[in-house]
Amino acid sequence: MNAYDKNAAGVVIPDAQLLADEAQWSSFGDTVHYVDPPKIFRHGEGSWMIDTAGTRFLDLQMWYSAVNFGYGNKRLNDTLKNQIDVLPQVASQYLHQTRIELAKTIAVDAQNKFGLKGRVHFNVGGAQAVEDSLKLVRNYTGGKSLMFAFEGGYHGRTLGASSITSSYRYRRRFGHFGERAMFVPFPYPFRRPKGMTPEEYSDACVRQFARLFETEYNGVWDPKVNQAEYAAFYVEPIQGTGGYVLPPMNFFKDLKKVLDQYGILMVVDEIQMGFWRTGKLWSIEHFGVTPDIIVFGKALTNGLNPLSGLWAREELINPTIFPPGSTHSTFNSNPLGTALGLEVIKMGYELDYETSVPKKGAHFLEGLRDLQKRHKEIGDVDGLGLAMRAEICTDDGFTPNKALLDKMVDIGLAGDLEHNGKKIGLVLDVGGWYKNVITFAPSLDITHEEIDLAIALLDQLLTKAKKAM
């Protein structure tokens, strides 16, 4: 046992007992049991997780991009500790200072960037913020409940969020979703049709979408009253769970022209890509379009206390159209979360992540491309800022190879890699349409030395996994 084993009461429970109790008393309905046996960690610091044996694991997914600023970030931890002593909780029908400050900070930032006045509404988790956005859209559009979303898109697993998430497996066992979204092709450059450039593929996807509005018989548009059956288009600027797919840079500008022409709202899901993951506060900033709604969560509090929310332009959310009681959550705008969120945004601008993240991302991407030259099983490498992807394939460099990536994940979590004569582990996240993509979301404070180590460990990991197949 090491110094990190004790819980808050000073009690040490061995891994074997914890796993036995978990197997008997915990639901298996979450994703913990994708790995057998589930992995137990005892401590986190910076880019690292430490297990019971004291083995260090370099984490390249940081809690699905929720811990953008590293485990045990002193500035944020101190903010949480200070807030506990001042105002740890308050009923959500009352106001407190950091709730108002955080809403103003986000709204003023959006107004400066997009030229639109707007307001901010808080909730707890990302899926709950998506639910609130669905209410906002339905309310503004007179009750329209049909949405567009992308193939490969992911917006959460609540019932409403599942209806706009393309994976049928998240809906299959829970009845008929009569209001499920119409899922539209997303330009996936690595798997584009032969003979097309990425930009041509992007153009083709936009044209295919625009065709829906050509005549009333294409299915979504009534030209007699100039009204669409669909209310909004839910987009991830870079697909998250779908495999960190980065579309051509012209895609969203072209798509937004079609949406504006036919009165379709653009709702941008920044739950994974927000808070400087791509080098901007919002990843949509890279694409030169103005959203109607932005949904956010995860890294807003560095994973320390759940808080999510949305920004919407004034016409959609002003108190006349969206009055008190339109939606509610007991723990929304909780003081611990809003204090952390305010500090995260202050810290992000003060430490200039807009400069440091692109530099680190370029360094990481260079290492991945060098790795690709040495392993033909890496079919595609791409990224923006510190949101990167490596698509694992067979030795033809294109056919998805889920089995090889699964083996890599298992070896990485076993902690049997080596560095400077010591055992070391690697934490990876699996994503992608074929579950064959490593989605890299390291700490934004990862050092260049840790990036070099990550590349070396990935090289070692790939070599071991291929031998084990």
Side-chain angles (χ1 to χ4, degrees):
M1 296 290 179
N2 61 49
Y4 307 128
D5 290 326
K6 296 180 181 180
N7 65 14
V11 177
V12 176
I13 303 176
D15 282 8
Q17 183 61 58
L18 288 172
L19 288 171
D21 289 346
E22 201 272 344
Q24 183 174 2
W25 303 111
S26 296
S27 163
F28 280 32
D30 208 333
T31 58
V32 169
H33 294 87
Y34 282 174
V35 178
D36 185 21
K39 182 67 183 179
I40 295 175
F41 287 111
R42 300 283 185 165
H43 180 64
E45 55 186 41
S47 295
W48 298 87
M49 296 289 283
I50 296 106
D51 71 4
T52 305
T55 303
R56 293 169 66 83
F57 291 73
L58 182 59
D59 191 345
L60 299 182
Q61 63 115 335
M62 300 305 291
W63 200 0
Y64 317 114
S65 200
V67 190
N68 281 4
F69 312 100
Y71 298 109
N73 184 297
K74 186 178 187 305
R75 177 168 174 173
L76 299 179
N77 284 5
D78 286 347
T79 298
L80 180 66
K81 293 171 186 175
N82 292 338
Q83 188 63 39
I84 285 175
D85 290 333
V86 175
L87 183 68
Q89 63 271 102
V90 64
S92 56
Q93 67 262 42
Y94 305 120
L95 292 173
H96 56 90
Q97 180 170 321
T98 56
R99 175 193 193 274
I100 299 167
E101 283 187 284
L102 180 57
K104 178 182 177 181
T105 298
I106 293 171
V108 169
D109 185 270
Q111 185 167 331
N112 290 338
K113 288 170 178 172
F114 304 122
L116 293 174
K117 185 180 186 306
R119 296 172 187 261
V120 173
H121 182 91
F122 293 112
N123 208 310
V124 181
Q128 288 81 2
V130 169
E131 296 284 338
D132 283 346
S133 74
L134 286 165
K135 284 186 175 181
L136 205 67
V137 167
R138 286 188 178 206
N139 181 66
Y140 181 72
T141 59
K144 288 184 184 178
S145 58
L146 295 179
M147 311 293 161
F148 293 111
F150 282 121
E151 294 175 0
Y154 180 88
H155 302 284
R157 300 194 200 184
T158 54
L159 289 177
S162 293
S163 73
I164 57 173
T165 292
S166 67
S167 300
Y168 171 51
R169 73 184 181 94
Y170 299 140
R171 294 185 297 275
R172 179 179 58 81
R173 292 175 294 110
F174 304 110
H176 179 60
F177 283 64
E179 294 171 338
R180 55 156 280 186
M182 179 187 292
F183 297 108
V184 173
F186 187 84
Y188 188 159
F190 179 59
R191 299 195 174 275
R192 67 187 183 272
K194 289 183 179 179
M196 281 188 177
T197 66
E199 290 72 26
E200 289 170 340
Y201 181 32
S202 173
D203 292 343
C205 288
V206 173
R207 285 197 305 270
Q208 183 177 342
F209 175 65
R211 183 178 176 275
L212 293 172
F213 302 89
E214 282 183 1
T215 80
E216 64 183 279
Y217 295 100
N218 291 89
V220 304
W221 179 250
D222 183 350
K224 291 190 175 182
V225 294
N226 289 329
Q227 189 175 110
E229 186 176 14
Y230 287 71
F233 203 136
Y234 276 74
V235 310
E236 295 169 282
I238 300 173
Q239 291 200 330
T241 302
Y244 283 25
V245 180
L246 175 62
M249 297 305 289
N250 60 309
F251 176 67
F252 283 109
K253 272 189 178 180
D254 295 340
L255 179 68
K256 188 64 160 59
K257 290 176 184 176
V258 179
L259 299 182
D260 289 345
Q261 182 179 352
Y262 296 105
I264 310 292
L265 300 173
M266 177 182 272
V267 184
V268 175
D269 183 336
E270 292 278 1
I271 294 167
Q272 274 206 50
M273 294 298 155
F275 304 103
W276 294 283
R277 170 55 56 199
T278 66
K280 299 283 188 183
L281 180 64
W282 310 123
S283 61
I284 195 65
E285 294 177 51
H286 294 280
F287 296 94
V289 299
T290 299
D292 296 293
I293 298 172
I294 297 173
V295 181
F296 53 83
K298 287 192 185 294
L300 174 61
T301 63
N302 204 39
L304 289 172
N305 202 74
L307 187 71
S308 65
L310 60 84
W311 168 90
R313 56 183 175 87
E314 181 74 4
E315 298 95 310
L316 281 71
I317 200 172
N318 71 72
T320 301
I321 193 169
F322 204 67
S326 295
T327 188
H328 176 79
S329 173
T330 300
F331 297 98
N332 71 7
S333 66
N334 62 84
L336 298 178
T338 55
L340 282 164
L342 189 62
E343 194 64 26
V344 158
I345 295 178
K346 287 180 181 177
M347 184 180 75
Y349 280 119
E350 286 175 13
L351 299 183
D352 193 15
Y353 284 115
E354 287 201 9
T355 299
S356 64
V357 168
K359 289 180 180 178
K360 291 178 181 179
H363 184 184
F364 207 129
L365 207 56
E366 181 183 7
L368 289 174
R369 286 176 176 148
D370 182 62
L371 199 63
Q372 185 181 27
K373 295 174 184 175
R374 288 178 275 133
H375 295 274
K376 55 188 175 182
E377 292 82 4
I378 301 178
D380 181 53
V381 166
D382 201 2
L384 187 62
L386 282 169
M388 294 154 296
R389 71 191 314 270
E391 185 147 351
I392 306 302
C393 303
T394 61
D395 58 11
D396 68 5
F398 188 77
T399 304
N401 195 343
K402 178 181 182 297
L404 178 57
L405 181 50
D406 287 345
K407 180 62 69 174
M408 291 173 64
V409 170
D410 290 343
I411 294 172
L413 284 178
D416 287 332
L417 303 174
E418 294 183 2
H419 177 63
N420 290 340
K422 294 181 179 180
K423 294 291 185 183
I424 194 170
L426 198 59
V427 179
L428 302 177
D429 192 30
V430 174
W433 297 21
Y434 304 95
K435 302 304 174 192
N436 70 315
V437 178
I438 306 172
T439 51
F440 295 102
S443 166
L444 305 187
D445 292 327
I446 192 171
T447 65
H448 286 268
E449 292 75 19
E450 287 171 335
I451 291 172
D452 292 338
L453 174 60
I455 299 301
L457 292 175
L458 284 165
D459 190 8
Q460 190 181 147
L461 183 58
L462 260 167
T463 302
K464 280 183 171 249
K466 287 189 286 186
K467 288 180 179 178
M469 294 297 288

